[in-house]
Amino acid sequence: MCGIVGILGQQDVASSLVDALKRLEYRGYDSAGIATVNAGALDRRRAEGKLRNLEEKLKLTPLHGTSGIGHTRWATHGRPVERNAHPHATDRVSVVHNGIIENFRELREELEATGVVFESDTDTEVVAQLLTQTLGHINDPVKAVEAVLPRLRGAFALGMLFAGEDDLLIGARQGAPLAIGYGEGEMYLGSDALALAPFTDQISYLDDGDWVVLTRKGASIFDAANKPVKRAKVHSAAGAYSIDKGNHRHFMMKEIHEQPEVVGRTLAHYLDMRQGEVALPDGCKVDFSQVDRLTIAACGTAFYSGLVAKYWFERFARLNVDIDIASEFRYREAPLTDKGLALFISQSGETADTLAALRYAKAEGLKVLAVVNVPTSTIARESDYQAPTLAGPEIGVASTKAFTCQMTVLACLAIAAGRQRGVLSREDEKRLIGELMAVPALMAQALKQAGAVKKLAHDLSRVKDVLFLGRGTSYPMALEGALKLKELSYIHAEGYAAGELKHGPIALIDEDMPVIVIAPRDNIYEKTISNMHEVAARGGRIILITDQQGIEEADMPDAATIAMQAMPSDFAAIVYAVPIQFLSYYAAVALGTDVDQPRNLAKSVTVE
Ligand code: M6R
């Protein structure tokens, strides 16, 4: 996690560093800092908490210098206090770091034994101290970095600045992303192209093991064996996206409202709408007829989109599906078959657990398909097939539009698989495509429920525990509803398969326990409603999400309801995501939590 940036500029770089950090704040936001070289000397400003605290500090004590580095932190080692904020520095070097130096304890002991005194509890400071000690023997920053890098174990992206070197910035990448930006007499380094978008659209991505020496004239890149290498310069489209909230109070609300548009855009990418069929774009023309097992792995909300897709692949394509949380998949030694296909789902494309699972599957000889929102991400680049979600940048830490776009792509893939495997007839496919094409308009209708959901969410914000129930594809939606409520409002919530409640959790039910029942009118609607009555009979307070006919058939006048449009049930999960997102959003607003940047979280989780 954490975001890093570096600039070799023509003018003072402090405000540009802060601008870039604003675009990286999604990667962590518990403290921030910048350092510059000014008249040959290193100086820095750091602040605990959000970036605005650093901005305040910079107003009082500005930082000058035309070369600098910056960092926004998600703490791994050491509490989020100023002392542990990056950059970590000595009088000779200043370092920003994303990732974890796994052998930092032994390096720290070794340095302390030689008299080095550490000022922080972080793993990062060992890099600054090691470089400083090495510079004492080899008075050459480039050679010092070359000597120090092989001593570091773990996953990291580093930016390093040196006293007396106004025209030098060194970066290194091992397992965490790092991009180089090319300007006119200026050079940049950043965790992603989005951070660099205000400055340049000319980007190179470092490969694992690469390190780079930047001067204002350009970049010299070396691989892990210190051989000079070239990395392609590509045009980044990141600048095309505005990173603002529009008329909304929070990015999350803006992103919820963007869903009809981005789901529509994603559908247009995967469908031949006139023919009423899936037309898989270049890059993801998978032949599912040759696949005997699909193994899905992902984390968090992306995992729930995969769980929804399991129902679709099994039903539409009669394809065996295994699904696992990425951090578990890698270590459970699942037997994988030659004809298996591994599918990884990720908004950021940088999630460390998902990336590790991908590399494991590749090493086992599987072909890899990735559903990703960031096309230049590591997961996208390391996959055999890429299926992009066209959600655009998602800034709110809670995943909303990326989630519904993931389900949209997965629905298209499942239909394509059904056709290729001879399970779906031409008519079946046309019908399903028709249903999918109606989803954006149904989502737009669902957005109109905001006011009604807000009132219910207000009541919800006063309780301590909440249960979400669903069956079929509504079961993963129940899990997703619970995750959203937890991460945004800090209210304890659990998602359950409605039929499983009677096997234990029903003991939790009393009149203080709200139970949110997600029940589109599908083939198991009646069973879900029976489970709902079992809860009500024990005093549970019901919030029922279904359509008007579903509300009437449920026959529960005391239940609070969210009335959805009637719709075919196959892809209802995508539409029902909207009221679930509203519930957690408005509960969080009522409680006054930080909606876009909930405590302890980061958007891009690049540590295992
Ligand atoms: O970038 P990814 O989709 O790989 O991220 C996976 C999870 O970290 C992410 O979905 C997380 O659970 C969200 N905060 C949920 O809203």
Side-chain angles (χ1 to χ4, degrees), residues 180-261:
I180 302 165
Y182 300 81
E184 294 286 323
E186 303 198 332
M187 289 296 292
Y188 310 93
L189 203 61
S191 292
D192 64 24
L194 196 62
L196 306 183
F199 319 122
T200 180
D201 60 3
Q202 296 298 303
I203 300 289
S204 293
Y205 292 94
L206 295 186
D207 280 357
D208 263 352
D210 284 357
W211 57 287
V212 61
V213 178
L214 298 181
T215 67
R216 288 181 180 79
K217 289 210 182 83
S220 307
I221 307 175
F222 305 90
D223 66 10
N226 301 324
K227 282 212 203 83
V229 283
K230 295 256 177 270
R231 301 293 175 221
K233 205 187 274 187
V234 294
H235 175 266
S236 159
Y241 296 105
S242 64
I243 308 294
D244 62 53
K245 296 177 194 156
N247 295 325
H248 298 281
R249 189 169 153 199
H250 298 104
F251 280 109
M252 181 183 176
M253 194 50 136
K254 176 179 173 234
E255 288 159 4
I256 290 174
H257 278 84
E258 282 172 353
Q259 290 179 111
E261 186 191 332

Side-chain angles (χ1 to χ4, degrees), residues 109-385:
E109 278 167 21
E110 176 191 312
L111 287 158
E112 281 174 337
T114 65
V116 173
V117 177
F118 281 76
E119 62 163 38
S120 79
D121 311 315
T122 66
D123 52 337
T124 308
E125 197 185 345
V126 296
V127 183
Q129 298 291 1
L130 254 186
L131 278 169
T132 303
Q133 198 170 70
T134 311
L135 282 165
H137 315 301
I138 320 170
N139 194 18
D140 177 336
V142 177
K143 290 213 164 68
V145 169
E146 187 178 334
V148 164
L149 286 178
R151 303 211 53 205
L152 308 178
R153 281 206 316 271
F156 52 80
L158 294 166
M160 294 160 274
L161 207 60
F162 300 86
E165 301 282 353
D166 174 66
D167 192 22
L168 179 69
L169 175 58
I170 302 184
R173 178 204 161 139
Q174 177 62 58
L178 196 57
I180 302 165
Y182 300 81
E184 294 286 323
E186 303 198 332
M187 289 296 292
Y188 310 93
L189 203 61
S191 292
D192 64 24
L194 196 62
L196 306 183
F199 319 122
T200 180
D201 60 3
Q202 296 298 303
I203 300 289
S204 293
Y205 292 94
L206 295 186
D207 280 357
D208 263 352
D210 284 357
W211 57 287
V212 61
V213 178
L214 298 181
T215 67
R216 288 181 180 79
K217 289 210 182 83
S220 307
I221 307 175
F222 305 90
D223 66 10
N226 301 324
K227 282 212 203 83
V229 283
K230 295 256 177 270
R231 301 293 175 221
K233 205 187 274 187
V234 294
H235 175 266
S236 159
Y241 296 105
S242 64
I243 308 294
D244 62 53
K245 296 177 194 156
N247 295 325
H248 298 281
R249 189 169 153 199
H250 298 104
F251 280 109
M252 181 183 176
M253 194 50 136
K254 176 179 173 234
E255 288 159 4
I256 290 174
H257 278 84
E258 282 172 353
Q259 290 179 111
E261 186 191 332
V262 295
V263 166
R265 189 192 304 159
T266 301
L267 281 175
H269 193 65
Y270 286 87
L271 301 183
D272 180 335
M273 298 206 181
R274 263 194 289 168
Q275 296 297 322
E277 63 185 29
V278 178
L280 292 179
D282 287 346
C284 70
K285 292 194 186 301
V286 183
D287 183 356
F288 285 97
S289 69
Q290 298 304 309
V291 174
D292 67 355
R293 178 171 292 274
L294 186 63
T295 300
I296 306 179
C299 301
T301 290
F303 170 73
Y304 297 139
S305 76
L307 206 49
V308 172
K310 174 180 164 77
Y311 289 83
W312 290 333
F313 276 104
E314 289 178 348
R315 189 188 310 151
F316 302 150
R318 309 302 302 151
L319 181 56
N320 288 319
V321 178
D322 279 337
I323 174 156
D324 214 338
I325 292 164
S327 54
E328 290 298 317
F329 166 71
R330 196 183 154 205
Y331 296 104
R332 77 178 160 89
E333 296 176 29
L336 303 169
T337 65
D338 286 353
K339 290 178 74 184
L341 176 73
L343 167 60
F344 299 95
I345 308 161
S346 176
Q347 187 285 129
S348 61
E350 301 293 350
T351 300
D353 288 322
T354 310
L355 182 58
L358 180 154
R359 287 176 177 164
Y360 171 81
K362 271 191 115 172
E364 292 289 304
L366 261 70
K367 285 277 183 216
V368 165
L369 163 65
V371 174
V372 274
N373 196 41
V374 181
T376 51
S377 62
T378 312
I379 289 178
R381 285 183 289 130
E382 292 195 12
S383 300
D384 300 298
Y385 305 101

